[in-house]
Amino acid sequence: MNRITALFDIKYPLIQAGMVWNSGWKLASAVSNAGGLGLLGAGSMYPEVLREHIQKCKKTTDKPFGVNVPLLYPDIDKLMQIIIDEGVQIVFTSAGNPKTWTSYLKDHGVKVVHVVSSVKFALKAQEAGVDAVVAEGFEAGGHNGREETTTFTLIPMVKEKLDIPLIAAGGIATGKGMLAAMILGADGVQIGSRFVATPEASSHVAYKNLVVEAEEGATELTLKELAPVRLLKNKFYEEVKALYQTTPSKEELVNLLGRGRAKKGMFEGDTEEGELEIGQIAGIIKEIKPAADIVEEIITEYKNSVLPKF
């Protein structure tokens, strides 16, 4: 037992990231049943949809699971009330100030983890009273920090300054990747992209197939003026790239992005006009397989890995 398995009462220090349009009850319960910690991605859910997913998760696993909540969500007070009403014990927060909700959640017996992209924000999260921190390198898919610090660089820097448990994220999809993160000082890992390529992920199969087909260099971090996001290179990405050639205003970028583009791409399967978020590690994901098999594969490789001798 290490600090993460003890904190969450789980078998393995492996967390499935709460990813918008991917992380519904089927994926979260499958990962939790396999010994990890499954997270529901509340960022793409209306409040009552979140309630439905929590209730279905309760019916399909008797193991711990949690909810990831982006703090910039417009109806966040409603999400938090549902989380408390439904008795969720673990919340991962991201994209905002952890001071805003940490005390409220902890007063209701919830364990709180905050996602950060720098040492500075890790220390602010610790100061806010969170139970653990996810330090995410910019290899990660979806929305990222502006610092462009890689996971390999970020983890030892955060570890040096932090007292509370540390979870590594960004560019981790294998047992050897997990081992590397743990050697660098992490107490556990959060894995997102690898769990996109599962039957249980709630996203569209056309998007999953593009993730499997992705090679090295297939993604790029862009739209930093709005909220930095790592995207698969598709028609929409090319439109963004072309607009940047004109030195666009923030308003022009907002107009191009429009509304609902991530849903269009990842959930509805419009692989041309949609926003397809995925991490750099997609280049080594070669097949869609059940979430439980992925957990077993990662843990087995982790345990069987032998450090090279010289």
Side-chain angles (χ1 to χ4, degrees):
M1 182 175 287
N2 77 348
R3 295 208 289 175
I4 292 302
T5 57
L7 178 63
F8 300 131
D9 191 25
I10 54 178
K11 188 175 182 182
Y12 307 125
L14 189 160
I15 293 101
Q16 161 253 313
M19 303 166 286
V20 293
W21 304 114
N22 290 282
S23 304
W25 66 270
K26 289 182 181 178
L27 180 57
S29 61
V31 172
S32 288
N33 283 332
L37 179 69
L39 297 181
L40 298 170
S44 53
M45 298 179 183
Y46 291 117
E48 286 307 314
V49 173
L50 174 61
R51 188 190 299 277
E52 178 186 343
H53 279 264
I54 291 171
Q55 291 176 350
K56 286 183 175 179
C57 226
K58 287 180 185 173
K59 290 177 181 176
T60 48
T61 184
D62 58 359
K63 303 290 195 299
F65 69 91
V67 177
N68 173 271
V69 183
L71 295 174
L72 300 179
Y73 190 96
D75 283 331
I76 190 163
D77 54 336
K78 294 179 182 177
L79 291 184
M80 293 301 190
Q81 190 59 54
I82 285 168
I83 284 167
I84 300 305
D85 290 346
E86 294 294 332
V88 174
Q89 297 291 299
I90 300 166
V91 170
F92 280 51
T93 56
S94 58
N97 185 350
K99 284 187 178 178
T100 316
W101 286 96
T102 296
S103 295
Y104 172 83
L105 290 167
K106 289 181 72 69
D107 286 347
H108 286 85
V110 178
K111 288 166 182 160
V112 182
V113 182
H114 191 64
V115 182
V116 303
S117 57
S118 68
V119 174
K120 173 185 172 183
F121 290 123
L123 292 174
K124 284 185 178 293
Q126 179 172 267
E127 186 183 323
V130 302
D131 295 284
V133 159
V134 175
E136 183 177 77
F138 101 123
E139 301 98 318
H143 291 287
N144 262 300
R146 300 180 188 279
E147 296 82 4
E148 297 199 5
T149 308
T150 64
T151 305
F152 234 54
T153 305
L154 181 62
I155 296 307
M157 286 182 174
V158 174
K159 180 66 174 181
E160 187 179 0
K161 303 289 186 181
L162 206 67
D163 298 319
I164 58 176
L166 171 61
I167 300 163
I172 304 167
T174 64
K176 289 179 180 177
M178 180 177 179
L179 180 63
M182 303 282 268
I183 289 172
L184 286 171
D187 299 292
V189 295
Q190 177 175 282
I191 294 174
S193 296
R194 186 64 192 94
F195 287 113
V196 168
T198 59
E200 296 93 342
S202 47
S203 44
H204 198 282
V205 68
Y207 159 61
K208 296 178 189 180
N209 286 335
L210 283 185
V211 170
V212 169
E213 293 165 12
E215 300 289 344
E216 182 267 327
T219 72
E220 188 168 310
L221 193 69
T222 187
L223 293 173
K224 295 177 189 177
E225 294 82 356
L226 307 182
V229 61
R230 183 170 295 283
L231 302 176
L232 269 176
K233 295 175 181 177
N234 65 345
K235 182 173 178 286
F236 166 62
Y237 160 81
E238 294 298 339
E239 290 171 0
V240 171
K241 188 176 178 182
L243 183 57
Y244 268 112
Q245 299 301 312
T246 69
T247 317
S249 65
K250 186 175 179 180
E251 184 181 16
E252 287 174 302
L253 290 169
V254 169
N255 288 338
L256 175 61
L257 180 61
R259 291 181 60 82
R261 201 178 279 272
K263 180 182 182 182
K264 182 185 288 188
M266 293 185 281
F267 192 69
E268 297 174 354
D270 186 338
T271 58
E272 293 294 316
E273 298 295 339
E275 180 179 302
L276 307 176
E277 302 175 8
I278 202 71
Q280 287 183 335
I281 202 69
I284 68 167
I285 299 171
K286 298 303 179 190
E287 60 180 322
I288 296 171
K289 62 168 58 177
D293 291 356
I294 290 171
V295 172
E296 182 182 2
E297 184 180 276
I298 290 170
I299 297 301
T300 299
E301 184 178 88
Y302 175 91
K303 290 180 175 178
N304 292 340
S305 294
V306 178
L307 294 178
K309 292 186 171 55
F310 59 89

